[in-house]
């Protein structure tokens, strides 16, 4: 069984993983995410898990923002120190609700309950990266409108080498070295680009396949990328995106 943990405190996430594997060592923890933004990004590029352990208060906001922006049909078990959110949690696909600090008996109870009711949850998420790509290709854009002072300019997607989010602004970086600010979030742009050509490697960067010059292994199971033209800072594929990135390269 594949389980996703969304928890903003790493020691707590690691402790939860230990308890889950103590219950059944064959279970697989597919990722441990710490924020609303990372969770939304993860769901857009990965197959939905069999079960989610979900903390409510995350590093960048309330977890319910995740489920307002993405359709998640996996069952959830909420873990939190704030019991007042119990009613709201059961408006989603909630199996149960456990309050911190929890122990093995709490995890055992909710996983036993999940095993009884799991047949009620049918995940209709895409079964492969190819299906994700096909769904995204239906709404791709061929060009974007940008403002340069009092002038307007269109930028074709073929011109874009990478997209960078920096200090609240999003920039289109072109092969010729020019860059233009665009009044769209990086998440919006990600949904509007052809996934066969563009990939979001972390919270700040979307890169184009043709701009990749070299890929190097990096510590903590991550990857470092060199592009042409070069990025203003070191380019690292976040650990939770490495597998999807490799699948994208091999598609």
């Amino acid at each position: 069984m594949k389980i996703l943990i969304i928890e903003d405190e790493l020691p707590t996430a690691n402790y939860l993983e230990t308890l889950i594997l103590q219950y059944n060592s064959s279970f697989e923890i597919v990722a441990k995410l710490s924020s609303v933004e990372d969770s939304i990004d993860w769901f857009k590029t990965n197959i939905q898990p069999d079960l989610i352990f979900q903390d409510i208060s995350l590093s960048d906001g309330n977890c319910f923002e995740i489920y307002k922006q993405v359709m998640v049909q996996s069952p959830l078990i909420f873990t939190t120190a704030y019991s007042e959110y119990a009613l709201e949690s059961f408006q989603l696909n909630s199996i149960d609700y456990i309050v911190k600090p929890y122990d093995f008996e709490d995890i055992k109870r909710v996983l036993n309950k999940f095993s009884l009711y799991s047949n009620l949850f049918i995940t209709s998420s895409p079964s492969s990266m190819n299906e994700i790509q096909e769904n995204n290709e239906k709404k791709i854009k061929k060009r974007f409108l940008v403002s340069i002072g009092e002038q307007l300019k269109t930028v074709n997607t073929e011109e874009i080498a990478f997209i960078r989010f920096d200090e609240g602004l999003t920039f289109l970086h072109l092969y010729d070295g020019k860059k233009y600010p665009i009044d769209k979030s990086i998440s919006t742009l990600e949904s509007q680009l052809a996934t066969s050509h563009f990939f979001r490697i972390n919270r700040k960067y979307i890169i184009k396949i043709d701009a990749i010059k070299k890929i190097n292994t990096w510590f903590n199971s991550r990857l470092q990328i060199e592009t042409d033209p070069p990025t203003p800072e070191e380019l690292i594929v976040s650990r939770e995106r490495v597998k999807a990135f490799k699948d994208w390269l091999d598609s």
Side-chain angles (χ1 to χ4, degrees):
M1 187 168 74
K2 297 182 183 298
I3 297 175
L4 173 66
I5 294 175
I6 305 178
E7 164 65 59
D8 66 339
E9 296 180 359
L10 183 58
T12 303
N14 291 337
Y15 174 62
L16 177 56
E17 178 180 20
T18 299
L19 295 180
I20 292 170
L21 295 181
Q22 181 181 343
Y23 178 87
N24 190 324
S25 60
S26 69
F27 287 174
E28 178 186 355
I29 308 301
V30 293
K32 288 181 282 187
L33 309 174
S34 63
S35 69
V36 171
E37 183 177 355
D38 284 346
S39 300
I40 292 170
D41 292 343
W42 190 92
F43 281 116
K44 288 180 178 179
T45 56
N46 290 273
I47 299 170
Q48 293 197 20
D50 299 305
L51 177 64
I52 302 168
F53 275 84
Q54 173 72 71
D55 187 16
I56 288 179
S57 181
L58 300 174
S59 61
D60 59 348
N62 187 299
C63 78
F64 298 111
E65 291 301 316
I66 299 170
Y67 305 104
K68 292 177 183 178
Q69 297 191 45
V70 292
M71 177 64 71
V72 177
Q73 294 181 301
S74 302
L76 298 109
I77 294 173
F78 284 91
T79 65
T80 184
Y82 305 100
S83 58
E84 63 267 25
Y85 288 109
L87 180 60
E88 191 170 359
S89 73
F90 280 101
Q91 294 175 358
L92 298 170
N93 297 331
S94 179
I95 289 284
D96 212 328
Y97 184 105
I98 55 177
V99 179
K100 298 175 182 177
Y102 44 77
D103 57 21
F104 177 70
E105 289 304 314
D106 294 313
I107 301 304
K108 180 180 178 181
R109 175 180 60 81
V110 294
L111 287 175
N112 283 344
K113 183 176 180 180
F114 169 73
S115 67
L116 290 174
Y117 294 101
S118 59
N119 63 314
L120 298 178
F121 293 87
I122 302 173
T123 301
S124 60
S125 59
S127 60
S128 68
M129 287 298 296
N130 287 336
E131 288 185 43
I132 293 173
Q133 291 173 354
E134 289 171 4
N135 289 338
N136 286 341
E137 294 287 351
K138 297 175 183 177
K139 51 186 178 182
I140 63 172
K141 289 176 70 71
K142 295 181 178 180
R143 56 186 173 271
F144 294 98
L145 186 66
V146 298
S147 299
I148 309 169
E150 296 181 355
Q151 297 182 343
L152 298 176
K153 174 182 173 61
T154 56
V155 175
N156 294 325
T157 56
E158 290 85 358
E159 302 175 74
I160 301 172
F162 59 88
I163 298 168
R164 178 172 64 100
F165 178 75
D166 183 46
E167 297 184 353
L169 296 174
T170 308
F171 294 90
L172 305 180
H173 288 255
L174 311 188
Y175 284 104
D176 63 8
K178 296 177 182 178
K179 70 174 184 179
Y180 298 103
I182 185 168
D183 189 23
K184 291 179 181 288
S185 71
I186 195 166
S187 295
T188 297
L189 290 172
E190 179 187 13
S191 69
Q192 295 176 336
L193 292 165
T195 54
S196 56
H197 298 294
F198 291 91
F199 188 89
R200 187 171 180 182
I201 63 166
N202 56 37
R203 295 172 66 179
K204 294 181 64 175
Y205 278 92
I206 297 173
I207 61 171
K208 193 175 182 181
I209 184 73
D210 295 338
I212 297 174
K213 182 179 177 181
K214 185 185 295 185
I215 303 172
N216 304 308
T217 57
W218 205 244
F219 62 93
N220 287 337
S221 302
R222 296 181 295 172
L223 298 172
Q224 184 221 23
I225 298 174
E226 297 178 26
T227 60
D228 185 18
T231 55
E233 57 199 321
E234 193 169 49
L235 204 57
I236 305 297
V237 182
S238 60
R239 185 167 55 182
E240 63 269 16
R241 289 178 169 266
V242 167
K243 183 181 183 303
F245 178 66
K246 290 180 177 178
D247 289 341
W248 176 69
L249 292 174
D250 196 39
S251 62

